[in-house]
Amino acid sequence: MTMKQKKDAPSRLAPAFLNGMCVGRPLVIPFVTAGFPDKWSTPDVVEAMCVAGADMVEIGIPFSDPLADGPTIQHASEVALEGGMTVAGVLEIVESVRMRDDTRDLPIVLMGYFNPLLAYGLESFLDDAKAAGVDGLIIPDVPPEEGREYRAACVERDLSATFLVAPNAPDERIRIVDQFSTHFSYCVTVTGVTGARNEVQVRTLEFLRRMRSLALKPFVVGFGIKEAAHVLELGPHADGVVVGSALIDALSQGKEPATVAAELIAPLRAAAERIASSRE
Amino acid sequence: MTEQPKASPDAHGRFGAFGGRFVPETLMPALFELELAHADAMQDQAFRQELDGLLCDFAGRPTPLYEAPRLAADLGGPRVWLKREDLLHTGAHKINNTIGQALLARRMGKHRVIAETGAGQHGVATATVAARFGLDCTVYMGEEDIQRQRLNVFRMRLLGAEVVPVSSGSRTLKDATNEAIRHWVTNVETTFYILGSVVGPHPYPAMVRDFQSVIGREVREQLAAKGEAPPSLLIACVGGGSNAMGLFADWLDDDVEMIGVEAAGYGLDSGEHAASLCQGQVGVLHGARSYLLQTDDGQVKLAHSISAGLDYPGVGPQHAQLRDSGRVHYTAVTDAEAVEALQLLSGREGIIPALESAHAIAELYKRARAGELPGDARIVVCLSGRGDKDVEAMADYLRNHPNEDIGARP
Ligand SMILES: Cc1ncc(COP(=O)(O)O)c(C=O)c1O
């Protein structure tokens, strides 16, 4: 394929969200840190998640100072960096994921802090990410005010740029984030950092309802989601559910990707399907 | 002279290409709220009066502007004044800022404050104002710094603060700052983050500068009161850059040379230093775009300095702008040079400076020895802190480097 064709390739994101909306269930979106537990396993992890029912995958670019992350993802980033993971290495992972039959059309977004992308060169990074088969980006330390150029550069390449929004956001802020996100926004369940949590707060549900009434674009919800019960509670109020730390925790225990996927992702997908059938 | 940068950041908190608010969205409402509260407070006569009153009666301002004759003789005859921030309550300039921010916290109805600390000076200054205003206080401090600044850890505990050891990453100021930010993200609605230098997201760099700028304003008044002409050179050490900005801010439009001295650690060529302005590249850390020590792949490097207060891989965004515009010249001195300067100032003037401040003194010796200090220079040094906290680290260092021990009275 030539660069030109790739540039015009339609994003895999819009169809995925449209499909979710048609069947009436949230997308199941695992998050994995590239290079965790080691440099070689990430494509296998992504493939296993996909086979077990993931609708889309977020791949984390490790950073030395992940200030929006709790201990689990901090640790995963440290391990990945010690194992030699680099920004270019993350793009190679995406390339190899794209060569596999099961994951050829899986929507993939990268989640990473701003500095490593600036060091790579933002424009070249976006070019290379597009060419590798990335569909979009989530940069937790770039709010809309700092994201104008980055957003425009994504739009130019038909990459999605997703901005985050938290329960303490006033309505006006929610509207800004919704407008700024190109395809979908990311709601964090709590004011806080990533990390598996036990209970869903009432406030989170109120926030998601507020989001639903104000947002024009789809949105996913993440931070703290680890089990089917969470999906059943939050899923009806969002277009996707992200599960990160719980997955990293399971991988840390040395389990095979396929086992982790069967134990963790399959039940989340089943929960998402139940939401759809209860709506019929 | 090159075109002078505007003193204040623009509406987005940018100093030219630097600064900004690169933070998780959760913090954005808090930063907007803080910006408004700060602007509102500074318009309020009563707030300013209370701030001035506390700076005077609680912290001990104005600090003396002391002319140092024996140091001057050593340097070959220029006039040298030391701005004695070391004589402030808690022993460093940090309290100028913590009083201001604590007053803001109270005004905003927040009963909990958190802070990061390296040398422990900012932690102590925060714990002190928290005690004074009856606020709950938690201080994040790297495990390595807890080891080398034990005295300050104990002071914070006496003052009623909880000190949380940070074991991630470098186990120094950088990771203490990460942890403080994470905690703030989690408790943003109840907690006020008292940041200790002119770093972080807008409005901190401007706000901390404004609270510290009393240093430079006093220098102006004090020289005038002594019937002295203005200085030809201002010099200060630069970690995050707050004491330096505090000295420089009021003088940016004057015809005076300015030097910021970073920590060269084991030497700029060793790769183990904290000289982000001298050797770093532009990047984003802790909410701002500025110069940063980083790898080619954009990972933040560990800094090194014997002085915990300078041991930080970033620097305030206004310094980045002042560097690029050429308005301020930035340089660096090594651990060994700072250790020597600490001993020299102690022996010459009867003043034991903090290791941080000793970096500024060391740069003067370096210039004098190289014949680069004109005899008619009129120099003001920001003596940002006193050396009590460093006595143990100095003893250790000199035990391991006996030939750098220049004796009680050289
Ligand atoms: C005495 C003293 N001077 C200087 C510094 C460096 O900070 P800044 O560059 O913000 O003045 C510190 C920091 O802890 C300090 O304690």
Side-chain angles (χ1 to χ4, degrees), chain B residues 3-313:
Chain B
E3 195 190 321
Q4 283 176 24
K6 293 219 167 31
S8 285
D10 69 15
H12 296 288
R14 303 225 179 85
F15 300 90
F18 304 102
R21 275 177 292 227
F22 295 88
V23 293
E25 173 61 30
T26 312
L27 294 181
M28 292 301 278
L31 293 173
F32 293 134
E33 189 194 0
L34 177 59
E35 192 180 347
L36 287 178
H38 175 232
D40 180 65
M42 296 319 271
Q43 299 296 322
D44 178 351
Q45 209 53 36
F47 180 89
R48 297 187 75 123
Q49 265 169 17
E50 187 172 13
L51 175 60
D52 289 346
L54 285 161
L55 285 175
C56 170
D57 298 332
F58 186 62
R61 300 212 74 89
T63 57
L65 183 68
Y66 163 71
E67 182 160 12
R70 300 189 67 221
L71 171 64
D74 249 15
L75 296 174
R79 307 271 306 270
V80 185
W81 290 269
L82 305 178
K83 182 58 175 162
R84 299 290 308 275
E85 297 296 296
D86 61 315
L87 292 177
L88 282 174
H89 181 36
T90 71
H93 68 294
K94 298 285 180 187
I95 197 150
N96 299 326
N97 170 45
T98 58
I99 290 177
Q101 290 199 45
L103 282 175
L104 266 184
R106 199 185 59 185
R107 191 181 169 92
M108 293 170 73
K110 312 262 170 169
H111 303 289
R112 263 198 89 228
V113 297
I114 57 168
E116 82 297 337
T117 197
Q121 288 305 112
H122 174 59
V124 168
T126 303
T128 298
V129 295
R132 168 65 182 72
F133 292 111
L135 306 167
D136 287 337
C137 177
T138 306
V139 178
Y140 293 84
M141 188 168 187
E143 279 180 347
E144 187 177 326
D145 291 335
I146 287 183
Q147 283 304 313
R148 52 181 172 175
Q149 304 286 344
R150 271 182 295 183
L151 177 68
N152 275 342
V153 175
F154 193 64
R155 289 168 81 196
M156 288 185 263
R157 291 195 175 134
L158 280 178
L159 291 161
E162 183 195 359
V163 179
V164 177
V166 174
S167 58
S168 55
S170 64
R171 301 157 75 236
T172 62
L173 182 54
K174 169 177 86 87
D175 290 276
T177 307
N178 287 339
E179 236 9 76
I181 294 176
R182 287 183 188 116
H183 187 91
W184 194 33
V185 170
T186 309
N187 300 282
V188 62
E189 286 147 307
T190 55
T191 300
F192 188 104
Y193 181 16
I194 300 190
L195 226 163
S197 193
V198 288
V199 300
H202 179 63
Y204 283 101
M207 182 172 74
V208 176
R209 174 201 65 200
D210 292 348
F211 285 137
Q212 291 292 0
S213 62
V214 62
I215 300 174
R217 279 197 307 275
E218 278 179 15
V219 167
R220 188 183 293 281
E221 287 160 15
Q222 288 167 320
L223 282 175
K226 290 177 203 282
E228 294 287 351
S232 61
L233 173 64
L234 302 176
I235 186 165
C237 68
V238 176
S242 67
N243 86 91
M245 271 325 302
L247 176 64
F248 298 164
D250 200 54
W251 294 89
L252 289 171
D253 295 333
D254 289 66
D255 183 16
V256 52
E257 189 187 347
M258 299 183 190
I259 300 174
V261 187
E262 298 193 293
Y266 297 131
L268 288 182
D269 299 334
S270 71
E272 293 194 50
H273 56 73
S276 33
L277 289 163
C278 294
Q279 297 244 308
Q281 292 86 35
V282 175
V284 167
L285 178 68
H286 296 151
R289 190 195 293 260
S290 186
Y291 282 89
L292 180 61
L293 300 177
Q294 56 179 316
T295 66
D296 291 343
D297 207 39
Q299 308 296 339
V300 182
K301 280 201 223 165
L302 302 192
H304 165 79
S305 169
I306 187 173
S307 142
L310 304 183
D311 197 349
Y312 180 66

Side-chain angles (χ1 to χ4, degrees), chain A residues 175-261:
Chain A
R175 288 198 190 93
I176 291 174
V177 170
D178 174 56
Q179 262 172 32
F180 242 73
S181 294
T182 57
H183 293 61
F184 68 101
S185 328
Y186 190 127
C187 298
V188 302
T189 53
V190 289
T191 61
V193 294
T194 58
R197 287 178 183 83
N198 289 324
E199 271 161 36
V200 172
Q201 297 174 5
V202 179
R203 189 183 185 194
T204 308
L205 295 173
E206 285 167 5
F207 166 51
L208 293 178
R209 285 197 196 98
R210 201 154 57 93
M211 186 75 190
R212 183 60 87 204
S213 72
L214 296 167
L216 301 174
K217 297 197 182 90
F219 55 89
V220 303
V221 58
F223 282 29
I225 297 171
K226 68 169 185 185
E227 59 198 26
H230 297 157
V231 173
L232 288 173
E233 245 182 303
L234 296 170
H237 307 283
D239 303 300
V241 288
V242 182
V243 53
S245 295
L247 184 53
I248 307 267
D249 280 336
L251 289 169
S252 306
Q253 292 162 11
K255 293 183 186 167
E256 286 300 312
T259 314
V260 172

Side-chain angles (χ1 to χ4, degrees), chain A residues 14-39:
Chain A
F17 279 107
L18 193 63
N19 185 50
M21 266 176 239
C22 290
V23 297
R25 70 167 177 85
L27 305 183
V28 173
I29 311 170
F31 166 94
V32 291
T33 299
F36 182 82
D38 58 60
K39 224 169 162 168

